[in-house]
Amino acid sequence: GDSVTQMEGPVTLSEEAFLTINCTYTATGYPSLFWYVQYPGEGLQLLLKATKADDKGSNKGFEATYRKETTSFHLEKGSVQVSDSAVYFCAPLFNSGGSNYKLTFGKGTLLTVNP
Amino acid sequence: DAEITQSPRHKITETGRQVTLACHQTWNHNNMFWYRQDLGHGLRLIHYSYGVHDTNKGEVSDGYSVSRSNTEDLPLTLESAASSQTSVYFCASSDLRGQGVQTQYFGPGTRLLVL
């Protein structure tokens, strides 16, 4: 069945370091792909998304490219800041039959950035 | 500005009591969702609705119910609260049903403790 696998954390980096959080999925089709971020004590916010192969989503310096060949959607940022400390969720939107779609979340990756 | 709100933000209850968590959105979205967030599990779908009088079970629906009497609200009821239902609950809404590109917008969450 459809599933998502996200790199487990926690991840601890120093400010200005490069970040990669891996996300791969298994699906019968080509789902839209999302990254959500959850800052401490808050709800989830959409960070970026891509809806078809080779699309690149970007926001706040973060990027992720929809790789159909490797069924991946890895999150990257070239230079992290302390304010990026949060939990990051990869979430494919799988077709659960007919016109029904289900957003399926990875388990989340806790990122801590130290000054 | 359009928003999605949840109340209460924090709730302590006793085992066996009925509890209702409120969710209200002003986006005028057709789709609404309830998730629970637990360590090690990410977010799991409890119930969802694609419009007024429409409700559907998610992957962890046992012990929960919802009703949709208008577009703006989707209250979640725990019929007889159990300690296993201690969790953080998030409501979300989205538009563009069936398009496969829907973005879900999340509320701030409700922390529920069942003693």
Side-chain angles (χ1 to χ4, degrees):
Chain A
D2 297 337
S3 65
V4 55
T5 302
Q6 180 179 341
M7 184 177 86
E8 292 191 22
V11 174
T12 302
L13 296 173
S14 298
E15 209 164 20
E16 299 183 3
F18 183 84
L19 169 71
T20 299
I21 300 177
N22 291 335
C23 173
T24 58
Y25 65 91
T26 302
T28 52
Y30 302 103
S32 295
L33 302 172
F34 299 80
W35 277 100
Y36 280 85
V37 58
Q38 183 179 30
Y39 297 103
E42 298 184 12
L44 278 73
Q45 302 175 23
L46 176 67
L47 180 60
L48 54 83
K49 67 179 183 181
T51 58
K52 60 183 186 296
D54 300 325
D55 266 3
K56 178 184 284 187
S58 61
N59 186 25
K60 299 182 180 181
F62 291 88
E63 292 183 341
T65 301
Y66 193 137
R67 301 288 187 198
K68 185 177 67 173
E69 307 79 17
T70 55
T71 62
S72 64
F73 193 53
H74 305 322
L75 183 68
E76 297 182 336
K77 186 173 185 180
S79 176
V80 294
Q81 305 301 312
V82 172
S83 57
D84 294 327
S85 297
V87 181
Y88 293 82
F89 293 93
C90 181
L93 184 64
F94 294 126
N95 187 320
S96 56
S99 59
N100 295 323
Y101 291 83
K102 180 172 173 282
L103 196 63
T104 301
F105 289 87
K107 293 187 177 181
T109 302
L110 173 63
L111 169 67
T112 301
V113 180
N114 295 318
Chain B
D1 286 347
E3 61 177 356
I4 181 166
T5 58
Q6 294 182 236
S7 62
R9 294 294 311 278
H10 303 270
K11 175 76 176 177
I12 301 174
T13 191
E14 295 177 343
T15 301
R17 289 191 179 267
Q18 183 180 78
V19 176
T20 297
L21 309 182
C23 175
H24 178 81
Q25 53 99 1
T26 59
W27 294 94
N28 199 34
H29 286 161
N30 286 329
N31 308 336
M32 295 185 73
F33 308 84
W34 274 105
Y35 296 89
R36 60 178 289 173
Q37 183 180 27
D38 304 287
L39 274 176
H41 290 280
L43 275 79
R44 292 179 291 175
L45 183 63
I46 305 171
H47 281 287
Y48 59 101
S49 168
Y50 285 149
V52 176
H53 303 310
D54 176 76
T55 61
N56 306 278
K57 293 182 179 181
E59 61 182 299
V60 290
S61 60
D62 288 348
Y64 303 93
S65 64
V66 293
S67 62
R68 187 91 180 269
S69 58
N70 58 51
T71 300
E72 296 80 17
D73 300 289
L74 187 70
L76 177 71
T77 298
L78 286 68
E79 304 293 346
S80 177
S83 57
S84 60
Q85 295 177 308
T86 292
S87 186
V88 182
Y89 291 86
F90 288 99
C91 180
S93 70
S94 72
D95 60 4
L96 297 177
R97 176 194 176 183
Q99 297 296 317
V101 294
Q102 55 182 273
T103 295
Q104 292 188 19
Y105 297 90
F106 283 78
T110 294
R111 286 188 177 275
L112 177 67
L113 174 61
V114 182
L115 299 175

